[in-house]
Amino acid sequence: MSFSTIAANVARLWSQYSGVYFQGLLGTLGLAAITVLFGTVLGTVTAICRLSGFRPGQALARFYVWIIRGTPVLLQLYFFWLLLPELLPLEIDETESVVVALIISAGAFVSEIIRAGVQAIDPGQTEAAQCLGLSRVQTYRFIILPQAIKNILPALGNEFVNMIKQASLASVFFVSELTTSYRTVSTASFLAIEPLLISGLIYLAVTTVFGWLVGVLEHRLAVSNAG
């Protein structure tokens, strides 16, 4: 199959099924936004537990990170997809189970990034904050975490991009997103390469824009530090 034929098929499919892809894009962005937001919150809490002096909290956080880092994401999705509806007293559908799994998976990796950033801060700043009468929570909120985020923003941005791409795994469970759109278009058009190429280009555009936004934020933070 020639390049011109593929290009013509891509243009034809886009004109016919752009609405399907836009619907999938909205699903992907929704999944990514939820995962990034709650995964970051969970990762921050986990990192604080790892760095605290509360040993049960440290042990629980270490166990959580060990389990998530040591098992494939797809296996975790299957686990939560099958188990959560059976264990929780409230009603939860399969899509919500997959979203919870993505959040829990993301939280473990975010926690390690944040923990590394916090540990890179000079311990003397914590001691100075305590001398000024700040509580541990205030010290983390106003002194440690703002500096740590500036240091770890490149790694954190890379993890956010990974979260966006991992949303494609939700298609295995028939959650509406870009990979699901690819399957729908491929089935309807009896084509494989061209629908996949369109999905890939959309993913590339989304992650490129997100990477650019992170780069802009990094630049602004660097300028504010220099000022």
Side-chain angles (χ1 to χ4, degrees), residues 125-136 139:
Q125 297 195 36
T126 301
E127 296 172 1
Q130 291 174 346
C131 292
L132 292 173
L134 295 180
S135 66
R136 191 175 186 87
T139 300

Side-chain angles (χ1 to χ4, degrees), residues 15-88:
S15 65
Q16 291 179 340
Y17 299 104
S18 58
V20 176
Y21 282 108
F22 276 122
Q23 183 179 0
L25 175 60
L26 290 176
T28 295
L29 293 177
L31 282 173
I34 293 172
T35 303
V36 167
L37 175 61
F38 291 99
T40 301
V41 172
L42 177 60
T44 302
V45 172
T46 303
I48 292 173
C49 288
R50 288 285 302 269
L51 296 167
S52 70
F54 185 58
R55 290 191 177 182
Q58 289 178 331
L60 183 60
R62 286 197 186 97
F63 180 76
Y64 158 55
V65 172
W66 172 64
I67 290 291
I68 298 300
R69 291 180 64 186
T71 55
V73 177
L74 186 56
L75 185 147
Q76 296 164 18
L77 293 180
Y78 270 114
F79 182 81
F80 283 94
W81 180 62
L82 293 171
L83 195 61
L84 274 187
E86 301 295 331
L87 290 182
L88 293 181

Side-chain angles (χ1 to χ4, degrees), residues 31 34-35 38 76-86 88-105 170 173-176:
L31 282 173
I34 293 172
T35 303
F38 291 99
Q76 296 164 18
L77 293 180
Y78 270 114
F79 182 81
F80 283 94
W81 180 62
L82 293 171
L83 195 61
L84 274 187
E86 301 295 331
L88 293 181
L90 62 147
E91 186 175 346
I92 181 172
D93 62 30
E94 295 175 343
T95 299
E96 292 167 341
S97 299
V98 171
V99 171
V100 170
L102 288 172
I103 292 171
I104 291 175
S105 177
F173 307 93
F174 308 105
V175 177
S176 178

